[in-house]
Amino acid sequence: MKVLIAGGAGYIGSTIASACADAGIVPVILDSLVTGRCEFAAGREFYEGDIADGPLIDRIFTEHPNIAAVVHCAALIVVPDSVDDPVGYYQANVTKSLEFVAHLLRNRCERMVFSSSASIYRANDDLTVDEDSAIDPQSPYARTKAVCEAMFADIAATQPIRVLSLRYFNPIGADPKMRTGLQLRRPSHALGKMILAQEEDVPFAVTGTDYPTRDGSGIRDYIHVWDLAGAHVSALTRFDAVLSGRSTSTVINLGTGTGTTVRELLEAFNSVTESPILFVDAEPRPGDVVGAYTRSDRASQFLDWQPQYSIAEGIGHSLQWAKLRDEVLAG
């Protein structure tokens, strides 16, 4: 099987590409390198360009007519940035995705796995969600994902393409073989900021301390990026079975089913590292929400998938990657 991975030179996309290659699936990478890194596409079929570039998409399918499916994980993802620049986020994540799916239809691509987000949910009182929970995105970023899901479902209802949307919770870690990891030196998510605080010998800021959680800090479902990548392999190999019968689109949560607060993540971080960090309480950032974790077993049921890595292992792999990142990305 050969698959096109849009955004395949980014953190998650490149890890999916490695998992595919390890499973005998040939990845073809498309990335604009706005946030992705060409080093992550080394040794693979790589096209630098935009998902909205119709002639480029046509060229890819002409040169790889046996592409069986597309994984669409090309997007801007930083919540505070989306608050500051909603126009840019809607253009990058929605407008270009609409153009992309039109190019896929023209090239008779019938299968798409879409990287969606659990940030689109309104959490229940117990802060859990499943695929039937209410959709109530609280940031422009999250709304772009909700809009894309609805848009793709409408298109799949009458056009010759089927869409499987995977709603990610909170990826951590790196490829255990250290081929890829988080490429940004100044990441926006909690674990990345903990590593940065350790590198700079400053306290970590717990942003938001009055949430209705057991310790007041936000809660997340932290999933190892390699587990996330493995779920994509299962989604690709089981795509037709998952979307059998009359179904043209569906959604599946990808999380561990365990909620971890920011303070608990910090405690886990300090238990793993040889250089524990201090913390300070701070106000929530623009677009921050209390968070949620999945209670769904749909991924197990349809993808025969279960997460394998613990939070401690995800932290360990992130720390290991942080020491290698500048060497790997020297170019």
Side-chain angles (χ1 to χ4, degrees), residues 31 106 195 298 330:
D31 201 294
R106 185 174 63 253
I195 295 174
R298 191 179 290 188

Side-chain angles (χ1 to χ4, degrees), residues 10-11 14-15 18 40 44 173-182 321 328:
Y11 169 46
S14 64
T15 311
S18 292
F40 288 168
R44 295 184 174 137
D175 177 352
K177 296 181 181 179
M178 295 295 120
R179 290 169 289 191
T180 58
L182 190 65
W321 168 257
V328 174

Side-chain angles (χ1 to χ4, degrees), residues 72-97:
H72 177 17
C73 50
L76 300 177
I77 63 170
V78 180
V79 170
D81 288 353
S82 77
V83 175
D84 291 338
D85 183 21
V87 172
Y89 265 67
Y90 275 96
Q91 286 175 333
N93 293 1
V94 177
T95 304
K96 290 185 178 183
S97 288

Side-chain angles (χ1 to χ4, degrees), residues 217-228:
S217 63
I219 197 165
R220 301 289 185 268
D221 190 334
Y222 294 103
I223 177 172
H224 198 292
V225 70
W226 191 251
D227 283 330
L228 198 69

Side-chain angles (χ1 to χ4, degrees), residues 48-63:
E48 181 179 351
D50 198 282
I51 60 173
D53 185 342
L56 176 59
I57 305 303
D58 293 345
R59 176 185 158 206
I60 292 171
F61 277 90
T62 297
E63 295 178 359

